[in-house]
């Protein structure tokens, strides 16, 4: 049975948490207190290889040597996620999938606020000027766009560019008919991505530094394909960023 506060909230149109449906204490809040506490706890997860949380972990999927290295890192993610494992309920995964299904700017601002702070910190440590970079994103599949009517990656990438005060440029197109997310393994996902993701005709990126946003990085197939296209069209540097990433990574070799 729903709490009385939730019933009254439904009657009077009070703002609700996009993850659990509970009433928000204040109209400007992004999430309820319980969900926020859970996410903060999940953000303390560490990499099984290096023992670091996602925000400082230097482990990456295979193929990430293509990316520019900043302060010893080839990607920046705010947190790890484990999926829907019954033994470890994952609110982070629910957040990511909710963002894909609902065009909720309040939720997007919550996600981007944390990620933007992580990126600023990393660029400061790398002594890299953020103002020399532009932000882009790999677009959602045509099937996903038809189903939900929006592209969560574009919405969040725009917010990220605004938060970081850097230019935003949509650079990619996706060919309909190839659904990369349904592939069985990493190799198949990467093969499908090569058939579906392309850069816009006439795009010139000579000397550009690209901050490549994807809401979640699993195998890295999408951002690796995107980076290759950016370099082919003249980009000087490409650095991938995401709110969440999976924990299955290859530990970098020590010199």
């Amino acid at each position: 049975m729903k709490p009385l506060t939730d019933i009254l909230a439904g009657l009077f149109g009070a703002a609700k948490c996009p993850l659990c449906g509970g009433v928000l204490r204040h109209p400007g809040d992004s999430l309820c207190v319980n969900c926020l506490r859970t996410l903060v706890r999940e953000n303390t997860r560490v990499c099984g290889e290096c023992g670091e949380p996602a925000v400082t972990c230097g482990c990456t999927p295979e193929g990430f040597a293509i990316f520019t290295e900043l302060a010893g890192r080839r990607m920046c993610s705010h947190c790890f996620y484990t999926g829907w494992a019954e033994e470890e309920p994952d609110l982070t995964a629910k957040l990511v999938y909710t963002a894909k299904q609902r065009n909720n700017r309040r939720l997007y601002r919550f996600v981007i606020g944390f990620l933007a702070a992580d990126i600023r910190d990393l660029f400061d440590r790398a002594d890299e000027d953020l103002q020399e970079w532009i932000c882009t994103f790999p677009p959602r599949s045509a099937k996903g766009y038809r189903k939900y009517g929006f592209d969560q990656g574009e919405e969040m990438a725009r917010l990220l560019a605004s938060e970081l005060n850097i230019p935003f440029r949509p650079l990619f197109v996706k060919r309909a008919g190839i659904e990369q997310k349904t592939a069985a393994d990493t190799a198949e996902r990467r093969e499908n991505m090569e058939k579906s993701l392309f850069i816009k005709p006439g795009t010139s990126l000579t000397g550009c530094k690209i901050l490549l946003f994807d809401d979640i990085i699993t195998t890295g197939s999408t951002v690796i394909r995107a980076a290759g296209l950016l370099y082919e069209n003249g980009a000087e540097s490409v650095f991938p960023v995401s709110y969440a990433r999976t924990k299955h990574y290859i530990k970098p070799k020590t010199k």
Side-chain angles (χ1 to χ4, degrees), residues 63 72 183 216 231:
I216 185 166
Y231 285 128

Side-chain angles (χ1 to χ4, degrees), residues 147-197:
K147 182 175 182 179
Y148 297 108
F150 68 97
D151 187 331
Q152 83 286 350
E154 180 176 4
E155 297 295 331
M156 287 190 275
R158 284 184 184 276
L159 283 175
L160 180 61
S162 177
E163 182 72 20
L164 297 175
N165 194 30
I166 62 176
F168 170 78
R169 288 181 63 185
L171 298 174
F172 298 100
V173 292
K174 248 186 181 177
R175 179 181 296 170
I178 302 293
E179 294 304 321
Q180 180 257 349
K181 293 297 183 182
T182 62
D185 55 34
T186 300
E188 187 179 353
R189 288 164 70 95
R190 292 186 177 176
E191 181 182 354
N192 286 351
M193 185 51 60
E194 289 178 0
K195 297 176 182 177
S196 64
L197 186 65

Side-chain angles (χ1 to χ4, degrees), residues 92-129:
T92 301
K94 184 174 183 180
L95 184 154
V96 170
Y97 292 124
T98 298
K100 291 178 182 292
Q101 297 167 4
R102 303 178 190 173
N103 193 354
N104 189 314
R105 290 185 64 84
R106 178 177 298 183
L107 186 60
Y108 296 160
R109 285 194 296 269
F110 173 83
V111 167
I112 293 306
F114 283 105
L115 179 57
D118 297 338
I119 293 170
R120 290 193 193 96
D121 180 65
L122 177 63
F123 273 62
D124 285 345
R125 287 189 283 111
D127 196 25
E128 180 71 26
D129 187 0

Side-chain angles (χ1 to χ4, degrees), residues 213-230:
F213 173 83
D214 202 359
D215 54 351
I216 185 166
I217 292 177
T218 50
T219 65
S221 304
T222 301
V223 291
I224 289 173
R225 166 62 175 169
L229 293 170
L230 293 170

Side-chain angles (χ1 to χ4, degrees), residues 41-84:
R41 184 171 62 251
E42 290 182 0
N43 288 352
T44 64
R45 291 171 177 153
V46 297
C47 173
E49 293 288 345
C50 69
E52 292 288 332
V55 72
T56 55
C57 173
C59 304
T60 59
E62 185 177 1
F64 265 50
I66 191 175
F67 293 109
T68 301
E69 183 175 323
L70 296 176
R73 307 269 302 284
R74 294 191 186 274
M75 67 186 301
C76 179
S77 296
H78 180 67
C79 59
F80 290 116
Y81 90 115
T82 59
W84 299 101

